[in-house]
Amino acid sequence: MMDIIENDLRRLDLNLLLTFRALLEERSVTRAAQRLFLGQPAVSGALKRLRAAFGDELFVRTPHGIEPTPRAFELARQIEPLLVSLHRTLTQPPVFDPSSAQRVFRVGLTDALEVALMPEIMSRVARSAPGVKLIMRTAEASSAPGMLDEGVIELAVGVFRECAAWHRREPLFRWRFVCVYNPRLVAVRGKALSMDEFLQHRHLLTSFNAGLHGYIDEQLEVRNQRRQVVFSSPNFATSPFIVQRTPAITTVPDFIAGAWRDTLGLAVSPLPLKVPSYEVSLLWTASNAQDPGIAWLASEFAAAFGTAGRH
């Protein structure tokens, strides 16, 4: 069926339909040519192609110009809504109405960002866009750009130090590492962990490489210091429950530490070691830059980051 449709459409183009419309309204080849800013031979040639395509004279000569045939009037009735709709599609900017939208978005991010953000995001979506559905995909900074290019996800959230020319990036906020522990099990003399207190306790590590040695350990080695890492996992989900039950410390981004503190009654302390902060951004492809749905979703994430940043 599609082959038949394609073969039929090859005989026509939009310019022929515009010529047909001008001939129908002007009832003159000369006036139609002037209206279309074309030469009269070009309009006569287009009319010849129209006649061949539809198998009908379409317009017949009279002493007063040209008159449409019954077939031409029938075609006009069917073609006019098509041209109006096409014009509206080409000239009006795309819109996205969250309240009535029925759409599925796929987002790539780490589990830490998912834990910190998605409760707020889903709360906002439930209120403003009840027909929208979100699918989360695990995406690290190294894998997210490729997932965007392949169409696996439409939006990525994370730390992206570089941005390809065909990607678009919007900074959201900066985060730092902080320490999380159970204040009933880890005694702290002051308002924050000292370096001695930090080193004397056991540690849990989130390591995407499944190791017991991470960035914090590298920084400690520069100072000829060492901590005791007794647990490592590529996920953040388990660590707060271990910390809740054992006298141990885990060092995580401040945006997830705030969520753990508020829900599990844990304590948060600055890291007793100077380390840089990191910028979290939204990332999407340039081909989606004019998608109003993506723009809306990006604004929701920006608002949710603002809420998360207050923890």
Side-chain angles (χ1 to χ4, degrees):
M1 182 64 182
M2 287 303 299
D3 291 340
I4 296 175
I5 293 174
E6 289 175 1
N7 289 332
D8 289 342
L9 290 178
R10 287 194 187 101
R11 295 182 294 168
L12 288 172
D13 61 34
L14 181 59
N15 290 325
L16 284 180
L17 297 182
L18 294 176
T19 300
F20 172 81
R21 186 194 214 184
L23 289 168
L24 185 74
E25 294 181 357
E26 298 294 340
R27 308 294 174 91
S28 164
V29 173
T30 301
R31 290 195 298 272
Q34 293 172 345
R35 172 173 169 173
L36 297 170
F37 301 99
L38 295 173
Q40 185 171 331
V43 174
S44 296
L47 177 55
K48 184 178 180 179
R49 293 173 60 193
L50 282 164
R51 285 167 171 165
F54 292 107
D56 188 88
E57 281 294 299
L58 297 180
F59 298 93
V60 295
R61 294 187 180 277
T62 72
H64 307 290
I66 56 175
E67 287 295 325
T69 67
R71 172 67 166 150
F73 281 118
E74 177 62 21
L75 286 173
R77 186 182 67 81
Q78 298 181 41
I79 289 173
E80 186 62 22
L82 172 65
L83 293 176
V84 171
S85 176
L86 181 60
H87 177 266
R88 185 182 300 115
T89 299
L90 294 175
T91 58
Q92 292 185 353
V95 297
F96 179 83
D97 180 6
S99 64
S100 61
Q102 299 289 325
R103 183 167 173 180
V104 177
F105 293 98
R106 290 168 173 81
V107 181
L109 72 177
T110 64
D111 66 324
L113 289 170
E114 183 175 336
V115 168
L117 291 178
M118 293 320 298
E120 174 66 17
I121 286 286
M122 292 310 298
S123 175
R124 298 175 66 89
V125 168
R127 294 194 302 268
S128 64
V132 166
K133 300 177 178 63
L134 301 179
I135 296 177
M136 301 295 107
R137 297 292 298 269
T138 300
E140 309 298 336
S142 58
S143 61
M147 295 172 71
L148 284 169
D149 293 342
E150 294 170 6
V152 177
I153 57 176
E154 298 159 289
L155 188 69
V157 189
V159 178
F160 305 110
R161 294 182 175 85
E162 297 180 355
C163 178
W166 56 90
H167 290 159
R168 298 293 180 265
R169 178 172 58 179
E170 179 182 335
L172 291 176
F173 82 119
R174 302 190 71 87
W175 64 264
R176 292 182 179 275
F177 280 115
V178 295
C179 301
V180 179
Y181 57 93
N182 186 338
R184 295 179 296 277
L185 301 177
V186 174
V188 177
R189 289 186 296 273
K191 294 183 179 180
L193 281 166
S194 66
M195 179 57 75
D196 289 341
E197 292 167 337
F198 180 79
L199 294 176
Q200 76 182 34
H201 288 92
R202 292 146 66 93
H203 288 261
L204 315 179
L205 172 65
T206 302
S207 171
F208 303 127
N209 298 321
L212 293 170
H213 190 272
Y215 172 74
I216 300 300
D217 301 284
E218 294 173 357
Q219 300 306 305
L220 289 171
E221 287 175 355
V222 174
R223 302 162 54 104
N224 293 319
Q225 295 174 317
R226 185 178 180 181
R227 63 176 179 170
Q228 184 184 10
V229 178
V230 297
F231 174 83
S232 173
S233 170
N235 303 309
F236 286 88
T238 310
S239 293
F241 298 101
I242 297 176
V243 164
Q244 193 178 40
R245 300 180 61 177
T246 63
I249 298 170
T250 186
T251 301
V252 296
D254 53 12
F255 59 82
I256 193 172
W260 291 351
R261 176 196 60 205
D262 296 344
T263 58
L264 299 175
L266 302 177
V268 177
S269 169
L271 184 68
L273 179 69
K274 287 187 177 180
V275 294
S277 62
Y278 300 89
E279 184 176 74
V280 174
S281 302
L282 293 173
L283 193 71
W284 62 93
T285 61
S287 60
N288 279 333
Q290 302 303 316
D291 186 330
I294 299 297
W296 167 81
L297 186 59
S299 69
E300 291 299 299
F301 269 89
F305 267 107
T307 301
R310 292 195 293 269
H311 286 291

